[in-house]
Amino acid sequence: MNMVATPAMIALEGAGRVFHRADGGRVVAVQEVSLAVAEGEFVCVVGPSGCGKSTLLQMIAGLLAPTAGLLSVGGAPVAGPGPDRGVVFQKDSVFPWMRAIDNVAYGLRCRGVGRAERRAVAARYLDAVGLGHVAEAWPRELSGGMLKRVAVATVFANGARVLLLDEPFGALDYVTKRQLHEVLLALWAEGGTGARRTVMFVTHDVDEALTLADRIVVMNAGRVVEDIAVRAPRPRDTDALLRPEMVAHKHLLLRHLGLERLARPGTAP
Ligand SMILES: Nc1ncnc2c1ncn2[C@@H]1O[C@H](COP(=O)(O)OP(=O)(O)OP(=O)(O)O)[C@@H](O)[C@H]1O
Ligand SMILES: [Mg+2]
């Protein structure tokens, strides 16, 4: 599937980013990353803390300029943030001074969509994430999991073709996280194969990556060190994660994350 000749939705060629610290030090956060993500692909990015995942995502989002290499989205070089890309950060991505529905409608408002239409679209996505009944609530009245639902509804309502999600569910409890996986995958699958958004999802959670991804990209010390195709059909329930090829992927990921003692001996790398 990834071998098709269509141009990549996200393309990086030798991309890198160096930071200069306040004390004069130099940090190579991302180096020599070449990656092509096809339209509609769901890619998870995993790797140890500090390996450059957020830096990579922020470069694609146009929030950080690369210091080396080439970077394009939808065939055009990335020159800054744009409405073609929706971003959800680990910390709250919700404006506290706007009601839930106005948060979800905000991107449409920025694009000049009229009030009635943008509220109708926002209401539809709030319904889809199970929050239709609290559309008029203020963020302070919502739980952490509900706020994440608002953030997910917002990126989908905005109509962005590329979704960049940086550990969006990292701080949530297991049940809420599993529910949000279903919500996210249902919205992603909406409209069928051709309509799928392209997703890059950063996570530390190996099971989360195996549940969600078409492909798992592993980073270490700023580089991409593994690229795993996950071919198991969806939905992937608990049994799906016990299939031999999924277990093999898990052992490989645990090794990459430095958890050799939890991984089966002899699994590469
Ligand atoms: N603005 C900055 N100035 C200096 N160094 C930075 C800056 N942002 C990130 N770094 C450094 O770049 C490296 C990669 O950081 P990054 O935030 O991309 O890691 P990460 O993989 O997202 O980590 P985590 O899993 O902990 O979120 C780290 O060494 C970090 O200290
Ligand atoms: Mg990070």
Side-chain angles (χ1 to χ4, degrees):
M1 282 281 255
N2 302 335
M3 306 295 286
V4 288
T6 49
M9 189 58 152
I10 301 171
L12 293 95
E13 276 178 47
R17 171 73 202 205
V18 172
F19 289 110
H20 295 282
R21 284 202 314 259
D23 66 3
R26 188 171 172 275
V27 182
V28 183
V30 171
Q31 54 184 325
E32 288 292 321
V33 170
S34 296
L35 194 65
V37 178
E39 179 161 26
E41 215 175 3
F42 198 126
V43 177
C44 282
V45 182
V46 306
S49 181
C51 73
K53 304 178 297 294
S54 294
T55 304
L56 185 76
L57 222 64
Q58 291 197 39
M59 289 198 296
I60 299 166
L63 299 169
L64 270 178
T67 49
L70 299 173
L71 181 53
S72 68
V73 172
V78 171
D84 56 330
R85 282 152 289 152
V87 185
V88 178
F89 294 111
Q90 183 169 14
K91 295 203 182 130
D92 293 334
S93 302
V94 169
F95 297 129
W97 60 87
M98 285 183 195
R99 295 178 191 272
I101 191 162
D102 295 321
N103 262 287
V104 177
Y106 181 72
L108 297 169
R109 183 174 133 193
C110 293
R111 289 201 219 175
V113 176
R115 181 179 157 86
E117 186 186 340
R118 66 179 189 250
R119 284 178 68 91
V121 172
R124 186 164 76 75
Y125 280 101
L126 278 172
D127 265 346
V129 300
L131 290 183
H133 61 297
V134 287
E136 300 296 337
W138 297 99
R140 64 172 178 274
E141 299 168 322
L142 302 177
S143 71
M146 290 164 123
L147 290 171
K148 287 296 169 194
R149 284 170 191 265
V150 173
V152 168
T154 302
V155 281
F156 278 93
N158 286 348
R161 297 300 305 156
V162 174
L163 309 184
L164 304 167
L165 314 177
D166 194 351
E167 297 190 53
F169 310 145
L172 300 178
D173 67 275
Y174 178 79
V175 174
T176 306
K177 197 185 232 195
R178 293 302 297 254
Q179 289 170 340
L180 278 165
H181 291 161
E182 287 182 26
V183 165
L184 177 61
L185 288 174
L187 286 174
W188 175 71
E190 200 184 48
T193 313
R196 282 184 187 160
R197 329 278 179 116
T198 308
V199 181
M200 279 188 82
F201 186 112
V202 172
T203 178
H204 280 106
D205 181 335
V206 169
D207 286 335
E208 179 169 59
L210 289 167
T211 301
L212 296 175
D214 290 319
R215 183 176 165 199
I216 303 175
V217 169
V218 184
M219 290 182 71
N220 202 334
R223 296 176 190 272
V224 170
V225 293
E226 194 88 56
D227 196 333
I228 304 170
V230 185
R231 299 187 204 282
R234 297 185 179 83
R236 298 181 187 148
D237 58 12
T238 307
D239 283 348
L241 266 57
L242 297 175
R243 289 158 59 135
E245 74 274 19
M246 292 297 249
V247 175
H249 292 327
K250 184 163 179 172
H251 285 291
L252 180 56
L253 290 168
L254 291 173
R255 288 194 160 264
H256 275 301
L257 293 170
L259 296 171
E260 288 85 357
R261 278 178 2 96
L262 300 181
R264 184 187 296 144
T267 37

